[in-house]
Amino acid sequence: MRKALLRVEGEYLARLGLSLPLATIGLVVVADLIAGRDHFLTPGIVVAPPLAAITVSWRKTAFIGVLGLFVQAALAPYDGITDIPDHDVFFGQAFAYALVSLFSVYIAWRRETGAKAFTAIASVAEAAQHALMRPPAPRVGPVRLAVRYVSAADAAQIGGDLYAVLETPHGVRALIGDVRGKGLAAVQTSAVVLGAFREAAFDEGGLDTVARRVDTSVGRHVTTGDFITALFAQFDTPGSVELLHYGHVAPLRVARDGVVETLDPPEPWAPLGLADLVPGDDGPVAWRVPLVLGDVLVLCTDGVIEARSPIDGTFYPLAERVGPIVVGADHDLDAAVERVFADLLRHAGGSLSDDVVLLLLAPQPRALPVHPPDPPLPG
């Protein structure tokens, strides 16, 4: 969110352009002329180059600096500076103004260079996000969905949170997860998990075997000691969804009448990458819950439920807030997920300290196949 605010601020300053430093020079000139020869106000022009440094390019900042120097030189006779036998006052003023102008040009150059670097980083991050996350279509098989992914890192659009929704021969399979840790290592771990899930989701017949393959890949390729909380979901039978829990935030089901139910697992399990710490090798047990037309399944990462209010320090009460926001929105999940995210931001005071994934899933009736009309009977 800080990134978005900085971008908006930069666009606002860019629109000001040269108008702000030029207006400053104009005001100082008018004030100096009105004040008369007994008042020496032209040193106030020294604020124009710093203002230009934050609104225009370094070349235009240099132009403002030169213009201000010429204006001061032109007003020097009117202010009586040239009548002073010792011109040290004028030359001292001009020297100080030149130093401020040169420093302002340098600041504007650094600002331009930083902006270009930021744009390049943001472009790479956006490409990496699309390559890693591959945002799904609004409808995958018989499931309608909407997602909101926000990285808390400046100049980055990817982080340790992950999700995927795939249509496979075994039904629509979804994954949401959260990597412990930050930075490049978390992104690399996310890539391992998502890559393993995309392969196993098509190859394996059971959701538990899909999860075991992902867990095996994490143990084989993730050597940083990170672990991943994860929740697997499978839509293979109309009217229900199968869930598999690996230490992740419990999903919520918003029924057609707005009642919210927390779908706690019958047997909580350790996150991916910590299987060696759990006795036995059977893994968690998948469980099936009803999910009929009109219901919405709400999945999220801990960045949502751990977002604190700056007023009273309370966590975001997703289970209490999501019902009235999402109820009846199974046909317009995009608007629903934006409303939930906006409510989350209001609770958190407009900024988030952790990555966030909000994923809404709702079963939809399959479209009936369209058959060509029967040929007319000969007659």
Side-chain angles (χ1 to χ4, degrees):
M1 301 307 298
R2 291 189 296 271
K3 176 181 64 178
L5 292 174
L6 288 174
R7 182 168 60 250
V8 171
E9 181 181 358
E11 292 173 354
Y12 172 74
L13 291 176
R15 284 195 297 269
L16 291 177
L18 287 171
S19 59
L20 189 59
L22 287 176
T24 301
I25 293 176
L27 287 175
V28 172
V29 170
V30 171
D32 187 79
L33 294 176
I34 293 176
R37 298 174 59 88
D38 296 334
H39 297 82
F40 183 40
L41 302 181
T42 52
I45 294 178
V46 74
V47 303
L51 289 176
I54 62 174
T55 57
V56 296
S57 67
W58 68 269
R59 291 181 176 85
K60 292 181 179 179
T61 301
F63 165 75
I64 290 295
V66 173
L67 176 64
L69 187 61
F70 274 108
V71 169
Q72 293 179 70
L75 287 176
Y78 174 79
D79 291 326
I81 301 300
T82 56
D83 297 336
I84 301 176
D86 188 356
H87 297 307
D88 288 346
V89 174
F90 176 75
F91 289 125
Q93 173 193 342
F95 179 75
Y97 178 82
L99 285 180
V100 172
S101 298
L102 289 175
F103 186 72
S104 299
V105 170
Y106 172 73
I107 293 298
W109 175 78
R110 286 296 301 268
R111 179 178 57 82
E112 282 189 85
T113 304
K116 291 178 181 177
F118 179 87
T119 301
I121 292 173
S123 299
V124 172
E126 183 177 3
Q129 182 191 30
H130 283 282
L132 184 61
M133 294 299 177
R134 301 178 192 173
R139 179 165 177 161
V140 178
V143 178
R144 189 179 297 276
L145 62 97
V147 64
R148 191 71 160 85
Y149 181 99
V150 176
S151 173
D154 290 338
Q157 297 178 353
I158 54 177
D161 289 7
L162 57 97
Y163 71 93
V165 182
L166 305 173
E167 184 176 17
T168 74
H170 314 286
V172 175
R173 287 174 165 172
L175 165 66
I176 186 169
D178 187 355
V179 179
R180 184 196 68 85
K182 302 287 184 181
L184 182 58
V187 175
Q188 291 172 336
T189 301
S190 297
V192 170
V193 173
L194 289 171
F197 174 72
R198 291 183 180 122
E199 288 294 324
F202 285 89
D203 297 340
E204 302 296 343
L207 193 60
D208 55 343
T209 55
V210 172
R212 280 198 292 269
R213 276 190 53 178
V214 175
D215 198 14
T216 300
S217 294
V218 170
R220 182 181 298 126
H221 298 292
V222 178
T223 60
T224 58
D226 287 343
F227 60 84
I228 306 96
T229 64
L231 182 76
F232 297 84
Q234 178 170 289
F235 300 82
D236 56 352
T237 303
S240 68
V241 59
E242 185 179 4
L243 301 171
L244 189 61
H245 181 267
Y246 275 82
H248 196 69
V249 179
L252 303 176
R253 178 180 59 198
V254 181
R256 288 175 291 182
D257 57 0
V259 175
V260 180
E261 181 182 359
T262 302
L263 305 176
D264 291 313
E267 183 180 355
W269 202 256
L272 299 171
L274 297 180
D276 294 340
L277 303 181
V278 181
D281 56 357
D282 294 336
V285 177
W287 80 105
R288 187 173 292 273
V289 296
L291 194 72
V292 299
L293 296 179
D295 294 349
V296 178
L297 185 67
V298 180
L299 309 181
C300 71
T301 54
D302 59 8
V304 175
I305 62 172
E306 293 179 1
R308 287 184 178 271
S309 168
I311 299 175
D312 54 13
T314 57
F315 292 119
Y316 178 65
L318 178 64
E320 300 175 12
R321 302 275 191 96
V322 74
I325 299 176
V326 170
V327 63
D330 55 307
H331 292 289
D332 192 8
L333 292 181
D334 286 331
V337 78
E338 290 301 327
R339 290 196 297 268
V340 176
F341 183 72
D343 188 60
L344 170 66
L345 279 183
R346 283 193 295 270
H347 177 84
S351 63
L352 300 171
S353 59
D354 196 4
D355 300 337
V356 162
V357 174
L358 269 170
L359 179 59
L360 307 186
L361 302 153
Q364 298 292 310
R366 286 189 178 271
L368 296 175
V370 178
H371 298 287
D374 296 333
L377 297 174

